[in-house]
Amino acid sequence: RMINREKICEIIKKVSPKEIENISGSSRIREDLCLNSLSMLLLIVQLEEELNKSLSPDIFINVETVDDLLGTLNEVNER
């Protein structure tokens, strides 16, 4: 099951500790969107549910932006 940027943004808004108005592909997940360790875990759980697939936290190590996340998820989804 593929995931799109809109769905990722919707999930990020749900798990972020701060109110977020605008999210773009170049938004940095930790810095711009204020996702801390707990928020990242919540994000992973939500993404696993959306994709119906188990995700290793290791795949998120090099993810910095929303577009990085989208690319990583689509790569993992193709396996």
Side-chain angles (χ1 to χ4, degrees):
R1 203 168 136 178
M2 296 295 279
I3 191 164
N4 60 30
R5 185 182 298 127
E6 186 177 307
K7 188 64 183 177
I8 289 174
C9 293
E10 183 183 308
I11 294 170
I12 288 172
K13 285 180 180 181
K14 243 196 278 187
V15 302
S16 177
K18 288 194 173 183
E19 184 76 23
I20 298 171
E21 291 296 316
N22 300 314
I23 300 176
S24 71
S26 62
S27 295
R28 294 172 302 166
I29 291 174
R30 290 168 189 84
E31 296 85 351
D32 300 332
L33 305 177
C34 304
L35 295 191
N36 56 27
S37 300
L38 176 59
S39 302
M40 286 299 291
L41 283 176
L42 293 172
L43 177 64
I44 292 169
V45 169
Q46 293 284 318
L47 291 169
E48 286 178 331
E49 287 176 13
E50 182 65 29
L51 295 169
N52 197 27
K53 185 174 238 171
S54 181
L55 300 171
S56 166
D58 295 344
I59 66 170
F60 298 95
I61 290 172
N62 295 318
V63 169
E64 290 186 25
T65 67
V66 172
D67 280 346
D68 290 344
L69 178 58
L70 181 60
T72 297
L73 291 173
N74 287 329
E75 226 175 78
V76 166
N77 217 19
E78 290 173 4
R79 293 183 200 150

